[in-house]
Amino acid sequence: MFEALTSVRTAEQRMERSSNFELFAWLFMRVSGIILLVIALGHLFYMHFVVGVTNIDFALIAERWENPFWRIYDTFLLFFAFTHGTNGMRYIIDDYFRGGVRVTLKLLLYLLYFALMVMGTYVIVTFRV
Amino acid sequence: MVQGGLQVLVKEGLRYRGREGQWTWLLHRLTGIGVFLFLALHIFDIFLMVFGEEVFNELIFLYHQPWARVGHIFLFFGLLFHAFNGIRVTIMDFWPSLWRYQRQGVWIQTVIFLAVFVPSAIAILMEILGS
């Protein structure tokens, strides 16, 4: 039982040593963070103080997506925000969980990431009234 | 099993006394989790657009309720704190010579955060009370 745990940990550590993935993830958090500073805060303020949250309904979003600019904007926002968030959750899982729990939680996280990325991209790209 | 993870976070958090750097680290984590959960929900609710006008409008009205609007104030708090703290961390990462001013950095960040958050929160509150 303990051998299994140790070997998982060594495999993880071996992988960490042999690839630049963690360095890339670190850089991605900084770069996407700076991008999100503009597009996520822009979205928050625009929707709250220009559009008005209580005005948001099906018709308003359908009209918004008539304009390809907003479809592209929303696709970028979806990708950068949810990828940044998912990687952050991965850090937190790594910090507080070990062994099988860690593996299970990460698997669930990646499933959620995949499902919501597909659902979000699908509706933004293919939506027709 | 959490393996005492959250317990350790709170207990050690209180014991460690890392001051500004530690408190902002903890808040960055908590606001990150909060914004992530909202984002997951938000992607799902926008996906409901595929089911057409009736279904979507029936559910989106939940976001127009006063309690949801109070939630928006928390969202502003979380996203703005996370954004400004993230800038500070990024600046420190790329210019390590600034580390010696990190305490001042936290105070500058707090002033900017309050300057943006407080008027936003007041504007949302006034809208809730006005409607």
Side-chain angles (χ1 to χ4, degrees):
Chain A
M1 188 174 83
F2 292 109
E3 260 172 59
L5 279 180
T6 329
S7 66
V8 166
R9 287 186 67 184
T10 355
E12 264 180 20
Q13 286 163 350
R14 244 201 321 272
M15 229 158 63
E16 235 171 70
R17 271 203 303 272
S18 66
S19 89
N20 282 330
F21 179 75
E22 288 303 334
L23 177 65
F24 175 76
W26 174 86
L27 187 64
F28 176 80
M29 291 309 259
R30 270 77 194 155
V31 173
S32 60
I34 294 164
I35 294 170
L36 287 167
L37 188 68
V38 179
I39 64 174
L41 290 187
H43 176 73
L44 186 74
F45 282 97
Y46 184 77
M47 294 316 266
H48 276 266
F49 299 128
V50 179
V51 174
V53 171
T54 46
N55 297 323
I56 299 172
D57 62 4
F58 184 88
L60 187 136
I61 299 168
E63 199 197 315
R64 173 186 169 90
W65 283 341
E66 297 268 295
N67 186 341
F69 170 80
W70 286 120
R71 290 210 198 217
I72 296 165
Y73 187 100
D74 290 350
T75 311
F76 273 94
L77 184 58
L78 169 67
F79 171 76
F80 282 112
F82 204 44
T83 309
H84 185 103
T86 301
N87 192 46
M89 293 302 281
R90 185 177 69 89
Y91 290 153
I92 291 173
I93 293 171
D94 272 339
D95 275 356
Y96 300 112
F97 301 94
R98 278 183 199 169
V101 184
R102 180 192 284 183
V103 175
T104 311
L105 285 176
K106 278 202 207 172
L107 197 70
L108 289 174
L109 178 70
Y110 299 151
L111 277 173
L112 183 74
Y113 177 74
F114 181 74
L116 286 179
M117 281 301 290
V118 170
M119 286 159 78
T121 314
Y122 174 80
V123 69
I124 295 170
V125 173
T126 69
F127 180 80
R128 296 281 178 280
V129 182
Chain B
M1 274 298 292
V2 183
Q3 290 153 341
L6 289 177
Q7 242 178 317
V8 169
L9 182 71
V10 174
K11 261 197 206 152
E12 294 297 293
L14 293 172
R15 198 188 58 81
Y16 179 56
R17 298 177 205 279
R19 301 191 38 169
E20 292 90 340
Q22 185 211 355
W23 292 114
T24 49
W25 170 83
L26 182 60
L27 253 186
H28 197 74
R29 201 147 258 219
L30 295 174
T31 54
I33 296 171
V35 173
F36 176 84
L37 293 176
F38 169 75
L39 180 58
L41 179 72
H42 186 37
I43 297 169
F44 180 74
D45 67 56
I46 292 302
F47 173 73
L48 295 174
M49 286 287 285
V50 299
F51 296 113
E53 186 151 12
E54 237 166 79
V55 175
F56 186 81
N57 285 349
E58 191 116 336
L59 289 164
I60 207 69
F61 94 100
L62 292 172
Y63 281 116
H64 303 166
Q65 302 302 304
W67 54 264
R69 313 245 35 225
V70 173
H72 292 149
I73 297 176
F74 281 94
L75 179 65
F76 268 76
F77 178 92
L79 200 61
L80 288 172
F81 176 84
H82 201 87
F84 294 132
N85 191 58
I87 301 171
R88 183 181 60 85
V89 171
T90 304
I91 291 172
M92 298 278 167
D93 274 354
F94 286 107
W95 289 279
S97 60
L98 292 173
W99 281 352
R100 70 170 109 165
Y101 302 112
Q102 71 151 319
R103 196 155 281 167
Q104 286 90 328
V106 172
W107 294 110
I108 294 169
Q109 160 199 341
T110 306
V111 169
I112 299 171
F113 166 77
L114 290 174
V116 182
F117 172 69
V118 172
S120 306
I122 290 173
I124 297 172
L125 264 179
M126 283 184 9
E127 242 184 85
I128 301 170
L129 297 173
S131 62

